[in-house]
C-alpha cells in the first residue's frame, strides 16, 4: 500500500522544500494543496480518513506547512478536530520549519553541555521558533529568559508560551549592548532566533563572556545573529565556547524532519507538533 | 509505461478521496487539477491525447470528479467531444460518487431478491444518485416510483431520467407518513437516496410492511434515511426484510470505483458513465 | 534518490503534455505549479536548491513551460538569477514547445541537404518558433530571411533575434503571391512557422520552384502552412523537393524534449534554452 502524504499549505504555492523532503523520507505519493485555509482542512482530511480503513489508515497522513505559523497552527487544530475516535490519520505541523528548527537548536544546546538548571537566553525570541525553543528548553529544566526589543512583545510571547506549552519563561527587554550584557550575566547558553540578517550578539560581548558556554544561531543570512561566527559551525569551539551556526543546526533539523515523516506512517494516530517533534529530535540526534 | 490519470475536479481542491482511491487501484501517477470548468476540459484532454500515441494512449486516462454532478456531466461531455476518431483516451465520470454509489445500491437490491417486474420506490430520488439508481433499476425491468416532497420536483427528475437514460420512471409526491404508506403499498423494495441526515422511512412503517422485502439507504449520517437501522448492515435480515446501510453499500461502491479505474487503462476508448459503471458493478459484485 | 521535476507553468493549468512527457522521460516525481509569475520563481527554485545538497542537487530540476513564451523567458531569467554559485539545479525552458519545435525543424532541414551558405526563408517567422529557428539556422551558416506580412514586425523580430541570439537575419515583408515568389528567388529551403491554419506557401509556387530543395512546416492544423502537403511527411520527396510536415518534425521534437529532460538530471548546472536544446537535437537526431 502506497504511503500517501496530503500536503496542506497556506501559501499560494505549496512548499517545494517540504515536498522534496517528504519524498526523500520515503513517502510514495504527495497530494499537494496550495492556498489552504483552516476552514478547508476538514473536508481534505475527511478524504484521507474515509478512503482507506483499518490498519491501512496508517498509509495516509497529513503534513501542514506554509510560511505562516499561526495559520499552520489553526490548520493543525482543524485537522485534529476532524477525527472521529479511531478513524483518524497521523498529522504533522511544521509551518515555516518552526518545530523542526526549534527542536534541532535546543537538542544541539542540550547535548553540548550541562544546561539543566542553568540560565539560558533566547534572544529575539518572540517568533515561532523562539517561543517553541524556549518551551523546549524549559521542559529540560532550564531557566529561560526570552528577549525582545520590546518589553510588551517579550511578555506577550512568554504568556503565549505559558498558554500553549505550559512552560514558565521570563521576559526581558533588550535594546542595546548594555542590555545584552546585563541579560547575559550568569548565562550558560544563548540561542539567537531573531529575524534573518540581524545581529543580536556582537563578538565583543560573547568572546569575552565569563560564563557563556554554548551559543547557537538559527539565522543563516548575513549578517548572522552571532557576529563573526560561521553558519556551518556545528559545535566548533572558539574561546572556550561551543558554537552552532544555522547550517550546523540545519543538518539535525533535516534528520528530525525526515524522521518525523517516517513516523507519520508507522501508526495512524500521531499528531506531531512541537512536543512530539522535540522527542523525535532526542531519538535521532545520535544516529 | 506509467499509468497516468488526469484528475479534473470542479471544486476548489481536487478530491483527496478520488486521488487515494486511484492510487489504490494501481494508477502510477496522478495529475490533479482543481477548479476546472467545462470550457477548460478540451485543452487538458488534448494534453493526454497528443503526448503518447497508438497503443500507449491506453496508459493515459481522465477522471472527472468534484462535488457538483451537473458540472461533472458537462465536463464529461466536453471531454468526449474533444476526441478525434481513434485519437482518444478513456474517461470516467463519478462526480460526488454518483455513479458508483447508485450502481452499488442497485446491485445490492437486485442481487438480494427477485425485484424484476416488481414495484420499487426510490425515496428522495431527485438528486444525482436517486435519478441514476432509478434508471438502473428500470433497466433491470423494475417498475420504479421516484418520490420527492414536491410533485413538481419528482416530475422534473423523472423527465431528466427519461431524457438522459431513456428510462420510464413514475413520479410521486410524498409529504407525510400517510403518503409514505400509500406509495409503499405493494412495493417489493425501497431505496432511500435523500439528503444526509434526513429520515425518509420510519421504523413503524417498514417494520410492519407486508410486502417490502429489500431496503437500502445511501445515507451514512445520523439520523439515517431508514429509521433504526445500522449503516454497516450489508444484507442483514430484520423482520423478514433484507437491509443494506450506507457502509454496507459502500464496500461494493469502492470495489466498483477501483475496478472502473482499472478498466480505464485496459483500452483507450472507454467513456465510463452511469450505464458502463453499472455493468462493471455486475461484473465485480461476486468477486 | 528520486528524480524530482518542478514544473513551473504560467497558465491557469500546468501543461498535461509537459508532465506526461517528463514521466515518459524517466522523471520519478513532478511537483506541478500553475499560474506562476516570474516574481514567484525565486522562492520555488530556492525550495529545490536548499533541500538536497552536493551531488544530490542533480536529482532535482526545474522545467519552465506555459503557452506564453515571453512569460516563460522571464521565468527562465528569474530561475537562473536565483542560483548562488555552485548551489543550483538544472533548468529547462520550453514554453509552448518553442525550443524543441524550432530545434527539430531546423535539424530536419540541415540534415536533409546542404543548406550551409545558402539562402533560406523562414516564413511567418515573427513568433517564438520562427525567431528561434532563424537563429539556429544562422548558427549553421545559413543566410536567413525572416518574413512577415508587416515590414515593421519582421524588422522587430530580426532585431530581437540579433539581441537575444547574436544572429544576423534579414527581414522581409511578404503580403501576396508575388512577394512570396520574389522572396523565394534563389532560396534553397523554406520553413513555415506562421499561425496554425494559415497557408503561407501555395502549391503552385513550391511545386514549380526551380531552386527550393527542402520545405518544412510546423503547422499541423488544416489548412497547412504549405499547401497540398501532409503533416506526417517526414522527408518525403515530391517533385524533387524534400518535405517535412508538422508531425514528421514532431517525432524528432519529442525525442529532443525527452532527451533534454534526461540531461537535466545528469548534472546540476544546466540551463537548457534554445542553444542548448538545439545541440541536444544534433546529438539525438540519428538515434
Amino acid at each position: 500500500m502506497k504511503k500517501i502524504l496530503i500536503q496542506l499549505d497556506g501559501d499560494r504555492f505549496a512548499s517545494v522544500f517540504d515536498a522534496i523532503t517528504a519524498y526523500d523520507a520515503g513517502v510514495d505519493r504527495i497530494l499537494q494543496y496550495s492556498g489552504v485555509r483552516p476552514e478547508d482542512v476538514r473536508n481534505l482530511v475527511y478524504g484521507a480518513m474515509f478512503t482507506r480503513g483499518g490498519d491501512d489508515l496508517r498509509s495516509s497522513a497529513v503534513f501542514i506547512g506554509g510560511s505562516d505559523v499561526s495559520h499552520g497552527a489553526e490548520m493543525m487544530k482543524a485537522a485534529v478536530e476532524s477525527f472521529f475516535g479511531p478513524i483518524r490519520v497521523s498529522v504533522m505541523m511544521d509551518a515555516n520549519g518552526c518545530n523542526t528548527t526549534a527542536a534541532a537548536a535546543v537538542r544541539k544546546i542540550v547535548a553540548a553541555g550541562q544546561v539543566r538548571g542553568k540560565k539560558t537566553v533566547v534572544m529575539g525570541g518572540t517568533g515561532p521558533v523562539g517561543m517553541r525553543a524556549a518551551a523546549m528548553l524549559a521542559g529540560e529544566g532550564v531557566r529561560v529568559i526570552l528577549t525582545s526589543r520590546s518589553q510588551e512583545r517579550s511578555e506577550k510571547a512568554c504568556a503565549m508560551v505559558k498558554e500553549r506549552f505550559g512552560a514558565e519563561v521570563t521576559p526581558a527587554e533588550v535594546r542595546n549592548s548594555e542590555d545584552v550584557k546585563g541579560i547575559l550575566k550568569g548565562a550558560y547558553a544563548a540561542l539567537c532566533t531573531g529575524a534573518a540578517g540581524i545581529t543580536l550578539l556582537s563578538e565583543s560581548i560573547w568572546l569575552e563572556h565569563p560564563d557563556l558556554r554554548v551559543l547557537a544561531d538559527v539565522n543563516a543570512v548575513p549578517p548572522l545573529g552571532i557576529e563573526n561566527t560561521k553558519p556551518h559551525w556545528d559545535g566548533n569551539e572558539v574561546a572556550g565556547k561551543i558554537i552552532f551556526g544555522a547550517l550546523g543546526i540545519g543538518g539535525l533539523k533535516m534528520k528530525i524532519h525526515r524522521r518525523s515523516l517516517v513516523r507519520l506512517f508507522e501508526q495512524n494516530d500521531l499528531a506531531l507538533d512541537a512536543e512530539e517533534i522535540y522527542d523525535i529530535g532526542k531519538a535521532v540526534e545520535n544516529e
Side-chain angles (χ1 to χ4, degrees), chain A residues 136-195:
Chain A
M136 292 167 184
L137 284 164
E140 292 286 349
V142 174
R143 286 185 294 124
V144 182
I145 316 293
L146 184 156
T147 79
S148 165
R149 277 164 299 175
S150 142
Q151 178 68 19
E152 190 190 340
R153 281 207 301 278
S154 68
E155 285 177 1
K156 195 176 157 201
C158 290
M160 287 171 74
V161 169
K162 173 78 177 163
E163 191 200 333
R164 167 66 181 80
F165 301 103
E168 298 287 350
V169 175
T170 306
E173 182 176 82
V174 167
R175 301 185 64 83
N176 53 45
S177 293
E178 287 314 301
D179 291 347
V180 174
K181 281 184 198 162
I183 205 70
L184 286 178
K185 209 162 281 174
Y188 177 86
L191 167 62
C192 290
T193 59

Side-chain angles (χ1 to χ4, degrees), chain A residues 56-118:
Chain A
D56 294 339
L57 276 167
R58 78 179 59 163
S59 295
S60 304
V62 173
F63 178 88
I64 291 172
S67 57
D68 181 336
V69 175
S70 62
H71 188 95
E74 282 185 69
M75 290 203 284
M76 182 67 166
K77 189 163 172 285
V80 171
E81 289 176 357
S82 304
F83 301 142
F84 291 133
I87 303 180
R88 54 188 296 156
V89 295
S90 286
V91 55
M92 169 181 181
M93 202 292 276
D94 198 35
N96 216 24
C98 62
N99 286 322
T100 50
T101 301
V106 171
R107 286 315 306 167
K108 287 289 185 185
I109 292 168
V110 171
Q114 300 294 334
V115 77
R116 178 173 295 269
K118 302 202 179 109

Side-chain angles (χ1 to χ4, degrees), chain A residues 199-223:
Chain A
T199 299
L200 295 171
L201 193 46
S202 60
E203 189 180 15
S204 65
I205 294 176
W206 68 259
L207 201 60
E208 307 289 337
H209 195 285
D211 310 308
L212 268 179
R213 175 72 184 144
V214 184
L215 299 172
D217 183 6
V218 301
N219 169 19
V221 180

